[in-house]
């Protein structure tokens, strides 16, 4: 896809408030858009700016499989099924140590994961 087509697609998506599509195009073409940000409309430029700041700060977005695992842990936490939570944590031990994952955990899951020593303590 040409750079003009990418910019046009992003502008069209942000105008229609289709931020998922806009974000997808921006993530795929981040380096190109840094140079051509002046061609983007205001909302698209703001989204690009936000994504650049997130990238510079080291933020990593979670993929669909990781989010599904977190949702499953939340469901098991509501049922207080600690055994199944431990199985998921055993399969993906590093997922629940990431700061980004904490934003998606419910209170029950945080308490249980903290109790079994999975979550890092903030100093």
């Amino acid at each position: 896809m040409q750079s003009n087509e990418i910019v046009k697609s992003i502008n069209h998506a942000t105008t229609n408030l289709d931020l998922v599509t806009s974000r997808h195009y921006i993530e795929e073409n981040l380096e190109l858009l840094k140079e051509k940000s002046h061609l983007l409309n205001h909302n698209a430029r703001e989204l690009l700016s936000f994504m650049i700041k997130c990238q510079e700060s080291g933020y990593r977005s979670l993929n669909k499989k990781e989010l599904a695992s977190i949702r499953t842990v939340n469901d098991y936490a509501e049922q207080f099924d600690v055994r199944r939570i431990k199985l998921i944590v055993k399969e993906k031990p590093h997922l629940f140590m990431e700061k980004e994952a904490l934003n998606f955990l419910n209170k029950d899951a945080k308490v249980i994961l903290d109790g079994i020593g999975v979550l890092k303590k903030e100093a």
Side-chain angles (χ1 to χ4, degrees):
M1 196 182 284
Q2 297 288 341
S3 63
N4 292 338
E5 293 175 19
I6 293 168
V7 169
K8 193 176 188 180
S9 298
I10 292 170
N11 285 335
H12 178 66
T14 53
T15 301
N16 293 329
L17 298 176
D18 186 4
L19 299 180
V20 174
T21 303
S22 301
R23 179 180 175 190
H24 179 71
Y25 284 134
I26 291 172
E27 283 176 345
E28 288 182 352
N29 304 291
L30 195 61
E31 295 304 317
L32 171 75
L33 292 171
K34 285 180 183 178
E35 298 169 5
K36 302 209 181 246
S37 64
H38 63 280
L39 298 175
L40 296 171
N41 64 25
H42 178 70
N43 290 337
R45 270 195 310 272
E46 289 296 320
L47 186 59
L48 174 66
S49 171
F50 174 76
M51 292 177 71
I52 290 171
K53 287 177 187 174
C54 287
Q55 183 185 39
E56 290 172 353
S57 69
Y59 179 80
R60 181 182 79 84
S61 60
L62 301 175
N63 62 32
K64 289 182 181 182
K65 289 183 180 181
E66 292 170 332
L67 289 173
S69 296
I70 292 170
R71 253 184 261 118
T72 304
V73 167
N74 286 337
D75 291 341
Y76 290 151
E78 288 177 4
Q79 301 166 7
F80 201 74
D81 192 348
V82 179
R83 189 176 125 256
R84 289 190 182 179
I85 292 173
K86 286 183 179 180
L87 288 173
I88 293 173
V89 170
K90 186 177 180 182
E91 290 174 9
K92 300 175 185 188
H94 299 291
L95 172 63
F96 300 99
M97 294 180 188
E98 294 186 28
K99 187 170 55 171
E100 292 83 13
L102 291 176
N103 297 331
F104 294 99
L105 291 170
N106 63 21
K107 289 181 183 181
D108 295 333
K110 286 179 183 178
V111 168
I112 292 171
L113 291 173
D114 189 38
I116 61 176
V118 174
L119 299 180
K120 288 193 267 185
K121 301 260 181 183
E122 297 282 332

